[in-house]
Amino acid sequence: MNIKRNEVSVEVPNRQGASLLDLIRSSGLPFAAPCAGKGICGKCKVLVQGEEDTWTAQACKTPAESIVSVELEGSAATLDLKLLHELVPENHYGIAIDLGTSTLEAELVNLDTGVTIATAASMNPQAIYGSDVISRIEAAQAGHLLQLQKLALDALFDMVSQLCAQACLPISSLKDITLAGNTVMQHLACGLQPATIGSYPYQPISRFGVYHRPWQNMPPVWLAPCISGYVGGDVVAGMLSNQKHPSLLIDLGTNGEIALQTHKGSWAAATAAGPVFEGMNISSGMVALPGAVKSAWYNEETDILDLEVVGGGEAQGICGSGLVDIVALMLSHGLVDESGKLLRASESTSPLASRVVLHKGEPAFKLLTHADVVLTQGDIRNLQLAKAAIAAGVEAVLEAAGLTPQDLSSVALAGSLGLHINPRHAAILGLIPPALLGITTSIGNSSLAGARLALLDPQAREHMQMLAQQTQYIELSTNELFTARYLENMGFA
C-alpha cells in the first residue's frame, strides 16, 4: 500500500486483519490518533483510494484490505522555525528542549551571551499512539516502546538539525543539550519502559537528573529531574523559572500539574485533567496549529462573534485557549447555566442564541455560519471534568501546605495553553479561584524556560535536583479532600 503525506510517499506491506491506522503507524509518517485507535474521537481521518472509488475514512475503523493508497490529512508535521539573532562564530552554543506530550519545542542558545538564536516547534509524532500519557504507556506495554522512542528522537534530531542549519552552525559544534519533559515522555525518550507509572503506586524506573546520549554526533543530553511518576522534569523546570514565594504554578498541558513553592517548603500534585486543554476530546478540537481558534469575543456594537485564528485564515477547529474563551462567553451570555447545561435557542434572550443549533442530535454552539466548527454539550461536559480536576487539585495542594488563596503572592499559568489563556475567563469558569485573578499571570512554556536556565548555568541543574528531592508529592487519587472538592467544582457556580 502507498501512504502519502505532503510530498513524502512510503510503500508498506499490507497485512491480513490490519487497519489503516496499523499500516500508517508502520510507515513512520507523522499522524495524529488522539484516542489511540479506540474509535471514539473521530479525528484520524484519511483520504482513501480503493480499487474503484476515493473517499474519506476513519483510519482506526477501516480495514486495510483492498485499499490501494492513503493520503494523510492535517498539519501534524508542520515545523515552525524562527531565526532570531545572528551567530557569533567564536562563541559556544547549546540546545534547550521541551519534550511535551503534544508538542516539541527547542531553542538554539548562545552559551556565552545567553541570547536565544533560533526557536523551533512541532507536534509530537507519538500522537499516532494517542494524545495522552496513559495511551503512550499502554502502547509501550503492547510492544511499541522502541517505535515510540524512535518517533521522539527522530523528530527532535530533525528540529536540532534544522535549528543549526538555519543558523549555519554545524551540529558537531554544539557544546551542551538540556531536556525537560514529563516523566513518561522522558522514559520513552530513553527507551525505558514506563509501565510502572501506569498503575499504583505510579513509581517511575528513573527520576533522571542524569545525562543520556541518544545521538552519536552530538553531546549527551541532560534530562531534568522528576518528582514522581506524574510530576516530571517539565514541572521542576517550571519551578526553577518561577521564583516568587509563596507562588503557585499551574501547568495546563495534557496533564494538569500543580506546584506550590514557599519559603518553608514545596508541594506538588498531578490531576487527571485529560487532553481537553490541548483541544482533544472536543468535537471540533485541535492543537494550536494553523486553523485553530485561539481566542473569541463578542462585539455588541456590530453583533459579530470575532475569532482569532492561529496563522489567520479560516477557522478549522478550536484549541484550548479558544475553548476557555468560548465557554466563558456562553456563560456570560446565559447560554450555559451553572450546571453546565447548554440551553436551547428558545431558552435564552442573548443575541448569540441563534447560534445554538442541533448538531448530530445534541445542542451545539456554532462558531461559523457556513462550516461545522461547533462546541457541543459533550464538549462542555469534558471541559467541566478537566477544570474541576485542576480547581480541586489547587485546593488540595494549598490545604496540604496549610495555606489559603489569600496567602499567595503569585499564580503562574504555564504550558502552551498558559501562554494564550485569558486569566479572567479562566476565573469565570472556576478554573482558578476568582480571588486569585489579580495575582495571576500567563507565563507560557516554563518547561522550556527552565531547560534554558539549566543549559546556561550548571548550578541551576543542582537547584533542580534539590527541588525534585525536597518537594512533597501529594497523591490526589487517594486524597479525600480532592475527591470531595472535585465534585463541588464540577459546576460553573
Side-chain angles (χ1 to χ4, degrees):
M1 178 189 298
N2 179 268
I3 301 178
K4 181 179 180 182
R5 180 179 195 97
N6 298 328
E7 302 303 318
V8 180
S9 183
V10 177
E11 288 287 339
V12 297
N14 211 327
R15 305 194 304 270
Q16 185 175 4
S19 69
L20 288 180
L21 183 58
D22 292 330
L23 299 191
I24 294 168
R25 283 172 171 166
S26 67
S27 75
L29 293 174
F31 186 68
C35 70
K38 296 181 177 66
I40 57 177
C41 73
K43 296 183 184 296
C44 58
K45 298 289 180 64
V46 294
L47 186 64
V48 174
Q49 182 178 343
E51 295 176 353
E52 297 180 359
D53 300 318
T54 300
W55 67 96
T56 299
Q58 195 169 331
C60 66
K61 288 187 173 182
T62 304
E65 186 179 359
S66 301
I67 303 298
V68 176
S69 67
V70 176
E71 185 170 340
L72 309 185
E73 301 178 339
S75 53
T78 299
L79 178 65
D80 181 14
L81 187 67
K82 296 177 181 177
L83 182 65
L84 304 178
H85 295 278
E86 296 296 328
L87 287 171
V88 178
E90 64 272 17
N91 284 1
H92 302 94
Y93 298 90
I95 298 281
I97 296 171
D98 169 44
L99 176 58
T101 309
S102 297
T103 55
L104 313 174
E105 295 190 46
E107 292 186 1
L108 173 63
V109 181
N110 185 320
L111 300 180
D112 296 305
T113 65
V115 172
T116 295
I117 303 300
T119 65
S122 72
M123 182 174 174
N124 188 334
Q126 293 175 331
I128 198 169
Y129 286 100
S131 64
D132 57 275
V133 293
I134 299 301
S135 296
R136 311 276 172 89
I137 292 172
E138 292 172 348
Q141 287 180 285
H144 301 294
L145 173 60
L146 293 181
Q147 175 66 5
L148 284 161
Q149 181 188 27
K150 185 177 186 300
L151 285 168
L153 293 183
D154 286 354
L156 291 176
F157 183 82
D158 287 345
M159 291 181 73
V160 172
S161 299
Q162 292 191 51
L163 279 171
C164 291
Q166 181 81 345
C168 300
L169 178 73
I171 286 181
S172 59
S173 64
L174 292 174
K175 301 302 181 185
D176 205 356
I177 302 175
T178 57
L179 181 150
N182 67 54
T183 315
V184 173
M185 291 300 103
Q186 293 192 180
H187 273 66
L188 295 177
C190 294
L192 298 176
Q193 177 59 254
T196 55
I197 303 175
S199 57
Y200 190 81
Y202 315 115
Q203 294 298 319
I205 290 177
S206 173
R207 283 188 168 81
F208 302 100
V210 296
Y211 288 89
H212 177 68
R213 185 181 285 277
W215 306 292
Q216 292 302 314
N217 59 341
M218 285 193 276
V221 178
W222 184 80
L223 294 106
C226 302
I227 294 171
S228 70
Y230 288 106
V231 180
D234 53 348
V235 176
V236 178
M239 294 170 72
L240 179 70
S241 66
N242 184 40
Q243 294 299 313
K244 293 181 181 179
H245 294 167
S247 65
L248 193 67
L249 176 75
I250 306 174
D251 191 320
L252 297 172
T254 305
N255 302 305
E257 295 121 341
I258 301 156
L260 172 65
Q261 296 182 82
T262 76
H263 294 295
K264 296 181 179 180
S266 300
W267 293 259
T271 67
V276 166
F277 294 124
E278 300 286 352
M280 301 298 106
N281 293 355
I282 302 297
S283 56
S284 295
M286 61 183 290
V287 294
L289 291 171
V293 175
K294 68 175 182 179
S295 64
W297 62 97
Y298 175 63
N299 189 322
E300 295 185 2
E301 293 183 1
T302 60
D303 190 26
I304 293 176
L305 178 64
D306 287 316
L307 306 175
E308 185 178 2
V309 178
V310 177
E314 183 82 354
Q316 300 173 21
I318 309 167
C319 66
S321 59
L323 174 67
V324 170
D325 273 4
I326 295 162
V327 177
L329 184 67
M330 295 166 71
L331 275 166
S332 300
H333 278 258
L335 297 177
V336 173
D337 67 16
E338 293 181 350
S339 73
K341 179 184 176 182
L342 174 56
L343 304 180
R344 296 180 182 273
S346 60
E347 299 176 286
S348 173
T349 58
S350 168
L352 291 173
S354 60
R355 292 179 175 269
V356 180
V357 298
L358 276 181
H359 179 77
K360 298 181 179 179
E362 67 172 335
F365 183 77
K366 198 173 180 70
L367 271 69
L368 301 172
T369 57
H370 56 284
D372 281 339
V373 180
V374 300
L375 203 64
T376 69
Q377 178 67 77
D379 297 336
I380 296 171
R381 294 301 185 206
N382 284 335
L383 176 60
Q384 287 180 269
L385 295 172
K387 78 97 180 176
I390 296 293
V394 168
E395 294 184 39
V397 169
L398 288 173
E399 199 260 355
L403 299 180
T404 67
Q406 289 71 27
D407 295 321
L408 296 173
S409 61
S410 72
V411 178
L413 300 180
S416 56
L417 175 59
L419 180 62
H420 301 291
I421 194 172
N422 184 318
R424 185 173 65 85
H425 290 166
I428 289 175
L429 299 185
L431 184 59
I432 59 172
L436 298 179
L437 183 57
I439 59 171
T440 299
T441 57
S442 299
I443 63 171
N445 194 338
S446 61
S447 173
L448 184 60
R452 184 177 175 278
L453 288 172
L455 181 70
L456 293 168
D457 183 4
Q459 289 188 345
R461 304 182 194 191
E462 296 177 10
H463 188 189
M464 289 173 72
Q465 290 279 30
M466 182 190 69
L467 280 172
Q469 293 167 3
Q470 297 181 0
T471 297
Q472 299 180 49
Y473 175 66
I474 304 165
E475 179 51 63
L476 295 182
S477 66
T478 57
N479 186 286
E480 293 183 1
L481 176 67
F482 172 80
T483 301
R485 296 295 169 81
Y486 177 71
L487 296 174
E488 292 174 10
N489 280 288
M490 199 74 71
F492 290 119

